[in-house]
């Protein structure tokens, strides 16, 4: 089992920055890829960015050039640097990890609110 805990959300003005963190515990040796998702009120949960075990990254078109995903050296931490934030980035942001055995794990989410 893997447990994921996000932190770093908050309220920021448009154009500002936030850095989200995700710390994994438990069977962290089993983690393969990781990702950030977000869910705005009344909308489906959408992928924001992914990072593979080898460090390859992908981004949703809406955040390309503004957000950067990374993993710590110990591989049990993941970050999302969010710059030039827009009101439409307001959502609950979730940390996700998949394991080599096929398990999927979610954090509890952290709220990001961008005011105009």
């Amino acid at each position: 089992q893997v447990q994921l805990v996000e932190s770093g959300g908050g309220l920021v003005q448009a154009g500002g920055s936030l850095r989200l963190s995700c710390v994994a515990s438990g069977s962290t040796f089993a983690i393969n890829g990781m990702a950030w998702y977000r869910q705005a009120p009344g909308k489906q949960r959408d992928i924001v960015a992914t990072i593979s075990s080898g460090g390859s990254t992908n981004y949703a078109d809406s955040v390309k050039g503004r957000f950067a995903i990374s993993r710590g050296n110990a591989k049990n931490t993941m970050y999302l640097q969010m710059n030039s934030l827009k009101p439409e980035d307001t959502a609950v942001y979730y940390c996700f990890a998949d394991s080599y055995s096929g398990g999927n794990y979610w954090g509890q989410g952290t709220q990001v609110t961008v005011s105009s």
Side-chain angles (χ1 to χ4, degrees):
Q1 288 292 320
V2 173
Q3 295 79 44
L4 303 172
V5 178
E6 306 97 332
S7 63
L11 173 64
V12 64
Q13 288 188 331
S17 298
L18 282 175
R19 189 190 196 211
L20 304 183
S21 299
C22 173
V23 177
S25 60
S27 301
T28 58
F29 60 88
I31 293 175
N32 183 14
M34 299 184 76
W36 288 99
Y37 284 74
R38 67 185 180 185
Q39 187 168 20
K43 296 189 177 181
Q44 66 181 20
R45 189 173 298 188
D46 291 327
I47 196 162
V48 175
T50 66
I51 186 165
S52 70
S53 58
S56 297
T57 60
N58 281 289
Y59 297 91
D61 287 343
S62 59
V63 306
K64 280 181 181 177
R66 299 188 298 122
F67 290 11
I69 189 171
S70 61
R71 290 176 76 165
N73 291 334
K75 304 294 186 191
N76 70 326
T77 56
M78 179 178 64
Y79 306 98
L80 186 68
Q81 178 66 43
M82 306 186 294
N83 299 324
S84 303
L85 283 161
K86 304 175 181 180
E88 51 264 43
D89 293 319
T90 295
V92 178
Y93 284 70
Y94 295 92
C95 174
F96 170 86
D98 64 75
S99 71
Y100 291 104
S101 61
N104 293 329
Y105 305 95
W106 293 92
Q108 83 288 350
T110 185
Q111 176 71 46
V112 172
T113 303
V114 184
S115 64
S116 58

